């Protein structure tokens, strides 16, 4: 383990094993603007695909026993798999440094887990306490009743230094096909496609309803150009929104058209969060529908993030991170 820092009985397990839109007018509006070119990179990993987990799967290794209590493919999180797990860590068992390719929520029900955050930050809640953000490097003691929220990519390791088993109730929302825990230095198999661009609204139709016109729904088509491997890629985002005071769910289809004519089609589902300063941030999960040319047999999933400083229809700064196979 890394150098021990002072411990405190905060929250829970994090990863251990495996573990916008302001309301617009109720009328159609059309606008066309120029697009912005940005640069992206692609990389390839060489790991193998993890076997799909099933309800009832049970495994034990290095003093850690995991039972899969349930598995789901949420419709509102395309390309993601939701898992409910029971984790038991024997006295003296150590969990090597690793991360998870998704978000985890865990609660310690028995024992004390010594948990070390090596890189990133996590949210922990002590029994009867309030959520607290901890930042690496940090070592804490996770006691019964502690709860921890861990985002994707958080690097950590853990150990049961006690004389009784540590028991955890764990829910994980992971990229489909990703292992339950990814050793440091490894990742989801396939080719990583990262695209960043500024998207401009081409056509927008929204309506507002509610006692104070606080509800906005409709659709928006945004287009922009990025650069991948020195070649232009046109990004076309077509989606629907359902916002209340600027925040709420959205569903989108995103089409990437490459310089050789190949097309990669994706869908995504996410949420917009409006801030008091008028800005909005976006986050979503993505899945590949299919493609043509180079991407004719493509499969995969990923995540989307974005932001804008103006009202619905203003330019949006976006980032797509996809892992592709096929």
């Amino acid at each position: 383990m890394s150098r021990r820092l002072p411990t405190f009985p905060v929250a829970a397990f994090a990863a251990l094993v495996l573990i916008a839109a302001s309301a617009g007018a109720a009328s159609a509006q059309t606008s066309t603007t120029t697009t912005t070119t940005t640069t992206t990179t692609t990389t390839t990993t060489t790991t193998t695909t993890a076997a799909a987990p099933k309800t009832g799967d049970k495994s034990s290794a290095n003093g850690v026993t995991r039972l899969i209590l349930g598995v789901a493919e949420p419709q509102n999180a395309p390309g993601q798999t939701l898992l409910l797990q029971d984790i038991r860590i024997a006295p003296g068992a150590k969990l090597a440094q690793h991360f998870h390719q998704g978000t985890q929520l865990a609660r310690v029900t028995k024992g004390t887990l010594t948990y070390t955050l090596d890189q990133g930050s996590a949210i922990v809640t002590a029994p009867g306490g309030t959520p607290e953000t901890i930042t690496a490097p940090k070592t804490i003691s996770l006691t019964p009743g502690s709860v921890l929220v861990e985002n994707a990519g958080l690097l950590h390791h853990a150990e049961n230094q006690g004389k009784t088993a540590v028991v955890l109730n764990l829910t994980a929302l992971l990229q489909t096909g990703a292992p339950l825990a990814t050793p440091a230095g490894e990742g989801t198999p396939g080719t990583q496609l990262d695209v960043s661009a500024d998207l401009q609204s081409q056509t927008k139709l929204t309506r507002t309803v509610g006692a104070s016109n606080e509800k906005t729904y409709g659709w928006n088509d945004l287009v922009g150009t990025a650069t991948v491997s020195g070649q232009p890629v046109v990004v076309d985002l077509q989606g629907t929104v359902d916002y209340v005071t600027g925040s709420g769910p959205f569903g989108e289809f995103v089409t990437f058209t490459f310089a050789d004519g190949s097309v990669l089609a994706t869908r995504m589902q996410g949420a917009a969060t409006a801030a008091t300063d008028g800005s909005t941030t976006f986050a979503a999960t993505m899945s590949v529908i299919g493609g043509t040319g180079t991407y004719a047999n493509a499969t995969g999933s990923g995540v989307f993030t974005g932001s804008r400083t103006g009202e619905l229809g203003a330019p949006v700064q976006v980032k797509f991170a996809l892992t592709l196979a096929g």
Side-chain angles (χ1 to χ4, degrees):
M1 291 182 63
S2 63
R3 176 175 60 90
R4 285 289 304 274
L5 299 178
T7 63
F8 55 94
V10 276
F13 166 53
L16 103 332
V17 319
L18 328 316
I19 121 109
S22 343
S27 60
Q29 179 180 354
T30 303
S31 62
T32 303
T33 57
T34 58
T35 59
T36 302
T37 300
T38 54
T39 303
T40 64
T41 58
T42 60
T43 58
T44 303
T45 62
T46 57
T47 56
T48 57
T49 303
K54 302 184 298 297
T55 298
D57 282 354
K58 186 176 182 179
S59 62
S60 296
N62 303 319
V64 178
T65 300
R66 179 180 73 255
L67 174 63
I68 305 296
L69 300 175
V71 180
E73 304 289 338
Q75 293 184 355
N76 65 331
Q80 308 285 298
T81 298
L82 182 65
L83 302 109
L84 178 63
Q85 305 171 63
D86 176 90
I87 308 294
R88 297 172 185 261
I89 305 157
K94 297 181 180 180
L95 305 170
Q97 190 179 70
H98 64 283
F99 65 95
H100 305 278
Q101 298 179 53
T103 299
Q104 294 199 148
L105 172 65
R107 182 177 186 271
V108 177
T109 62
K110 182 180 179 181
T112 298
L113 182 71
T114 300
Y115 170 78
T116 299
L117 191 62
D118 297 306
Q119 182 178 342
S121 60
I123 300 173
V124 296
T125 306
T130 57
E132 176 184 357
T133 299
I134 61 170
T135 302
K138 189 79 172 180
T139 297
I140 62 176
S141 294
L142 305 177
T143 60
S146 297
V147 175
L148 180 142
V149 179
E150 185 180 60
N151 289 318
L154 187 70
L155 197 62
H156 59 282
H157 64 278
E159 179 180 5
N160 182 358
Q161 297 180 343
K163 296 182 179 180
T164 60
V166 172
V167 180
L168 303 161
N169 296 143
L170 174 68
T171 300
L173 182 65
L174 305 177
Q175 291 187 29
T176 298
L180 299 180
T182 304
E186 297 184 10
T188 301
T191 299
Q192 190 69 25
L193 176 64
D194 298 319
V195 179
S196 299
D198 288 351
L199 302 185
Q200 311 286 340
S201 180
Q202 306 299 302
T203 305
K204 175 175 70 76
L205 174 61
T206 59
R207 300 185 185 280
T208 57
V209 295
S212 303
N213 285 332
E214 73 280 7
K215 299 179 181 180
T216 302
Y217 69 97
W219 58 270
N220 194 12
D221 182 20
L222 301 100
V223 176
T225 302
T227 300
V228 173
S229 301
Q231 298 296 316
V233 177
V234 176
V235 181
D236 188 347
L237 185 156
Q238 299 173 314
T240 60
V241 302
D242 183 8
Y243 297 156
V244 177
T245 61
S247 299
F250 62 80
E252 318 279 353
F253 292 101
V254 185
T255 303
F256 303 90
T257 304
F258 296 81
D260 65 355
S262 297
V263 170
L264 177 66
T266 67
R267 65 166 59 91
M268 64 184 185
Q269 197 80 28
T273 303
T276 55
D277 63 1
S279 64
T280 304
T281 57
F282 308 92
T285 57
M286 305 179 67
S287 63
V288 172
I289 298 172
T292 65
T294 302
Y295 300 97
N297 299 312
T299 60
S301 61
V303 295
F304 160 82
T305 56
S307 64
R308 59 173 164 74
T309 57
E311 63 181 10
L312 182 62
V316 180
Q317 293 71 50
V318 299
K319 294 182 179 180
F320 305 93
L322 286 160
T323 301
L324 306 176

